[in-house]
Amino acid sequence: MNLDGLRREVHYANIMLPRCALVTMHSGNASGYDPEAGRVLIKPSGFDYEQLQPEHLVEVTIDGKILTADLKPSVDLPHHLYIYRHRPDTRGIIHTHSPYATSFAALGRPIPVCLTAIADEFGGDIPCAPYVDNEGDHIGEAVVAAMGKSPAVLLGQHGVFAFGDSPRAALKAAVMVEDVARTVHLAMLMGEPGRLPPEEVGKWFSRYHERYGQRR
Ligand SMILES: [Zn+2]
């Protein structure tokens, strides 16, 4: 994917955030990374999703030099850059405060792997990193330390970071974490959900990642 293609994908991921009910007002952002160009594209700070066009995305170098003159990047840019630099498999990142997933973050609790959908997509518990402030690289460090193989991490007392090998894959993880969080939240109103045993989690994860869908 070239930088123009990435721009279209990052725009799509951003405008889908309110459509998927993952954000309120301006409270989330999506970015994408083109390692060949050494560029990251990210939502401008405080910008209305409804007004957002692909040309509004702010272009920065992977070292954080801002190349777009007239718009400021999301204040979460340093966290996105840290994750791209330390997890080179990542090409798309989404940050939200989506409510059901963030309710687990408010408790500092991972989302337990009690559903096949969690085993499929996340391969285990969806981890919850401890609370950190937003100075320097604190958030990036906490998220990277918690990531493992899960495409989403909760950040204690804060919200959700979701990742993928494209902005669209990160969007899927952001949607899925909220969807399973809602189901588990509902289950917890009636009792304590049972965990899937590790060997069952492994079976669902490998089936989903090796055989599901239209890949050949
Ligand atoms: Zn936030």
Side-chain angles (χ1 to χ4, degrees), residues 116-123 151 169 172-173 175-177 180 200-215:
T116 59
I118 300 175
D120 278 347
E121 181 78 19
F122 302 96
K172 184 184 175 206
V175 169
M176 287 300 298
V177 69
V180 298
E200 291 301 309
V201 173
K203 279 198 285 192
W204 286 93
F205 184 79
S206 58
R207 179 202 66 111
Y208 187 71
H209 287 264
E210 290 161 19
R211 302 203 298 277
Y212 176 83
Q214 301 301 322
R215 284 166 295 183

Side-chain angles (χ1 to χ4, degrees), residues 3 5 31 33 35 45 50 70 74 78 80 90 125 132 138 149 158 161 180 185 193 198 204 208 211 216:
L3 203 55
S31 73
Y33 176 37
S45 181
E50 291 188 3
D70 51 341
S74 162
H80 289 243
T90 305
D125 289 358
V132 286
H138 293 177
K149 66 181 175 183
H158 187 153
F161 278 83
V180 298
H185 181 104
W204 286 93
Y208 187 71
R211 302 203 298 277
R216 288 162 198 274

Side-chain angles (χ1 to χ4, degrees), residues 27-29 76 79 95-97 139 155 158-161:
S27 69
N29 43 71
D76 293 319
H79 321 320
H95 173 53
T96 77
H97 304 155
I139 287 180
L155 184 60
H158 187 153
V160 178
F161 278 83

